[in-house]
Short mmCIF file of all heavy atoms in Angstrom, two decimals:
data_model
loop_
_atom_site.label_atom_id
_atom_site.label_comp_id
_atom_site.label_asym_id
_atom_site.label_seq_id
_atom_site.Cartn_x
_atom_site.Cartn_y
_atom_site.Cartn_z
N ILE A 372 37.89 -48.69 41.27
CA ILE A 372 37.36 -49.84 41.74
C ILE A 372 36.73 -49.67 43.16
O ILE A 372 35.63 -50.17 43.39
CB ILE A 372 38.42 -50.93 41.82
CG1 ILE A 372 38.87 -51.35 40.40
CG2 ILE A 372 37.88 -52.24 42.59
CD1 ILE A 372 39.99 -52.28 40.41
N LEU A 373 37.42 -48.89 43.97
CA LEU A 373 36.83 -48.52 45.28
C LEU A 373 35.50 -47.85 45.13
O LEU A 373 34.50 -48.13 45.79
CB LEU A 373 37.68 -47.66 46.08
CG LEU A 373 38.95 -48.35 46.76
CD1 LEU A 373 39.93 -47.37 47.33
CD2 LEU A 373 38.45 -49.26 47.89
N LYS A 374 35.38 -46.97 44.23
CA LYS A 374 34.11 -46.18 43.99
C LYS A 374 33.01 -47.06 43.39
O LYS A 374 31.84 -47.10 43.85
CB LYS A 374 34.37 -44.97 43.05
CG LYS A 374 33.12 -44.18 42.78
CD LYS A 374 33.41 -42.96 41.95
CE LYS A 374 32.18 -42.13 41.67
NZ LYS A 374 32.55 -40.95 40.81
N GLU A 375 33.39 -47.87 42.36
CA GLU A 375 32.40 -48.70 41.65
C GLU A 375 31.74 -49.84 42.46
O GLU A 375 30.64 -50.20 42.36
CB GLU A 375 33.07 -49.21 40.35
CG GLU A 375 32.10 -50.03 39.46
CD GLU A 375 32.64 -50.43 38.08
OE1 GLU A 375 33.76 -49.93 37.81
OE2 GLU A 375 32.05 -51.23 37.42
N TYR A 376 32.67 -50.46 43.27
CA TYR A 376 32.27 -51.62 44.14
C TYR A 376 32.11 -51.27 45.54
O TYR A 376 32.08 -52.17 46.38
CB TYR A 376 33.31 -52.67 43.92
CG TYR A 376 33.38 -53.27 42.59
CD1 TYR A 376 34.28 -52.71 41.57
CD2 TYR A 376 32.52 -54.34 42.17
CE1 TYR A 376 34.28 -53.23 40.29
CE2 TYR A 376 32.58 -54.87 40.84
CZ TYR A 376 33.42 -54.25 39.97
OH TYR A 376 33.49 -54.82 38.66
N ASP A 377 31.96 -49.98 45.90
CA ASP A 377 32.03 -49.54 47.32
C ASP A 377 30.90 -50.23 48.19
O ASP A 377 31.21 -50.91 49.09
CB ASP A 377 31.90 -48.07 47.46
CG ASP A 377 31.82 -47.54 48.90
OD1 ASP A 377 32.94 -47.64 49.54
OD2 ASP A 377 30.80 -47.14 49.37
N GLU A 378 29.67 -50.13 47.71
CA GLU A 378 28.52 -50.69 48.45
C GLU A 378 28.62 -52.16 48.53
O GLU A 378 28.41 -52.82 49.59
CB GLU A 378 27.19 -50.20 47.84
CG GLU A 378 26.99 -48.78 48.01
CD GLU A 378 25.65 -48.28 47.56
OE1 GLU A 378 24.78 -49.25 47.16
OE2 GLU A 378 25.36 -47.10 47.49
N ARG A 379 28.84 -52.77 47.45
CA ARG A 379 28.86 -54.27 47.39
C ARG A 379 30.04 -54.84 48.19
O ARG A 379 30.01 -55.81 48.91
CB ARG A 379 28.99 -54.75 45.98
CG ARG A 379 27.69 -54.60 45.22
CD ARG A 379 27.81 -54.90 43.69
NE ARG A 379 28.57 -53.92 43.00
CZ ARG A 379 28.71 -53.90 41.67
NH1 ARG A 379 28.29 -54.90 41.01
NH2 ARG A 379 29.40 -52.95 41.07
N LEU A 380 31.21 -54.12 48.11
CA LEU A 380 32.32 -54.58 48.91
C LEU A 380 32.08 -54.40 50.43
O LEU A 380 32.45 -55.22 51.23
CB LEU A 380 33.65 -53.77 48.53
CG LEU A 380 34.95 -54.13 49.30
CD1 LEU A 380 35.23 -55.56 49.01
CD2 LEU A 380 36.09 -53.24 48.55
N GLU A 381 31.48 -53.32 50.81
CA GLU A 381 31.08 -53.11 52.22
C GLU A 381 30.18 -54.17 52.67
O GLU A 381 30.38 -54.68 53.89
CB GLU A 381 30.47 -51.69 52.38
CG GLU A 381 30.19 -51.37 53.78
CD GLU A 381 29.90 -49.91 54.07
OE1 GLU A 381 30.51 -49.10 53.27
OE2 GLU A 381 29.07 -49.57 54.88
N GLN A 382 29.28 -54.65 51.87
CA GLN A 382 28.33 -55.68 52.27
C GLN A 382 29.06 -57.03 52.43
O GLN A 382 28.76 -57.77 53.43
CB GLN A 382 27.22 -55.89 51.22
CG GLN A 382 26.14 -56.81 51.58
CD GLN A 382 25.35 -56.36 52.82
OE1 GLN A 382 24.90 -55.22 52.86
NE2 GLN A 382 25.21 -57.27 53.81
N ILE A 383 29.95 -57.27 51.58
CA ILE A 383 30.82 -58.47 51.67
C ILE A 383 31.64 -58.44 52.98
O ILE A 383 31.70 -59.42 53.74
CB ILE A 383 31.79 -58.67 50.49
CG1 ILE A 383 31.03 -58.89 49.25
CG2 ILE A 383 32.81 -59.73 50.70
CD1 ILE A 383 31.86 -58.81 47.95
N ILE A 384 32.22 -57.29 53.30
CA ILE A 384 33.04 -57.13 54.54
C ILE A 384 32.14 -57.37 55.78
O ILE A 384 32.52 -58.12 56.67
CB ILE A 384 33.62 -55.79 54.52
CG1 ILE A 384 34.73 -55.71 53.48
CG2 ILE A 384 34.31 -55.54 55.86
CD1 ILE A 384 35.25 -54.23 53.24
N CYS A 385 30.92 -56.69 55.77
CA CYS A 385 30.10 -56.83 56.89
C CYS A 385 29.54 -58.34 57.13
O CYS A 385 29.52 -58.82 58.23
CB CYS A 385 28.87 -55.89 56.82
SG CYS A 385 29.33 -54.18 56.91
N ASN A 386 29.31 -59.02 56.01
CA ASN A 386 28.79 -60.36 56.09
C ASN A 386 29.90 -61.30 56.63
O ASN A 386 29.68 -62.31 57.22
CB ASN A 386 28.32 -60.87 54.77
CG ASN A 386 26.98 -60.17 54.29
OD1 ASN A 386 26.32 -59.60 55.29
ND2 ASN A 386 26.67 -60.18 53.07
N THR A 387 31.16 -60.98 56.22
CA THR A 387 32.27 -61.89 56.51
C THR A 387 32.77 -61.53 57.96
O THR A 387 32.99 -62.51 58.72
CB THR A 387 33.45 -61.63 55.58
OG1 THR A 387 32.98 -61.94 54.24
CG2 THR A 387 34.61 -62.60 55.90
N PHE A 388 32.93 -60.35 58.33
CA PHE A 388 33.55 -59.98 59.62
C PHE A 388 32.50 -59.98 60.75
O PHE A 388 32.83 -60.29 61.88
CB PHE A 388 34.23 -58.64 59.55
CG PHE A 388 35.58 -58.64 59.00
CD1 PHE A 388 35.78 -58.82 57.60
CD2 PHE A 388 36.67 -58.54 59.79
CE1 PHE A 388 37.08 -58.91 57.11
CE2 PHE A 388 37.97 -58.53 59.29
CZ PHE A 388 38.15 -58.77 57.89
N GLU A 389 31.27 -59.74 60.41
CA GLU A 389 30.12 -59.71 61.41
C GLU A 389 30.52 -58.96 62.67
O GLU A 389 30.75 -57.79 62.70
CB GLU A 389 29.76 -61.17 61.64
CG GLU A 389 29.21 -61.87 60.44
CD GLU A 389 28.64 -63.32 60.76
OE1 GLU A 389 29.42 -64.06 61.36
OE2 GLU A 389 27.56 -63.53 60.33
N ASN A 390 30.67 -59.74 63.80
CA ASN A 390 30.94 -59.10 65.09
C ASN A 390 32.32 -58.44 65.19
O ASN A 390 32.57 -57.76 66.20
CB ASN A 390 30.76 -60.13 66.18
CG ASN A 390 29.29 -60.60 66.27
OD1 ASN A 390 28.42 -59.92 65.96
ND2 ASN A 390 29.14 -61.87 66.78
N PHE A 391 33.12 -58.71 64.20
CA PHE A 391 34.53 -58.08 64.24
C PHE A 391 34.44 -56.66 63.74
O PHE A 391 35.52 -56.03 63.70
CB PHE A 391 35.51 -58.95 63.49
CG PHE A 391 35.98 -60.12 64.22
CD1 PHE A 391 35.16 -61.31 64.26
CD2 PHE A 391 37.20 -60.14 64.85
CE1 PHE A 391 35.66 -62.37 65.01
CE2 PHE A 391 37.62 -61.20 65.55
CZ PHE A 391 36.90 -62.34 65.63
#
Side-chain angles (χ1 to χ4, degrees):
I372 294 174
L373 281 170
K374 181 178 179 180
E375 184 173 349
Y376 293 90
D377 182 69
E378 292 183 5
R379 287 173 288 183
L380 182 54
E381 184 165 326
Q382 187 62 51
I383 292 171
I384 293 170
C385 291
N386 290 341
T387 304
F388 278 74
E389 295 183 310
N390 296 331
F391 279 80

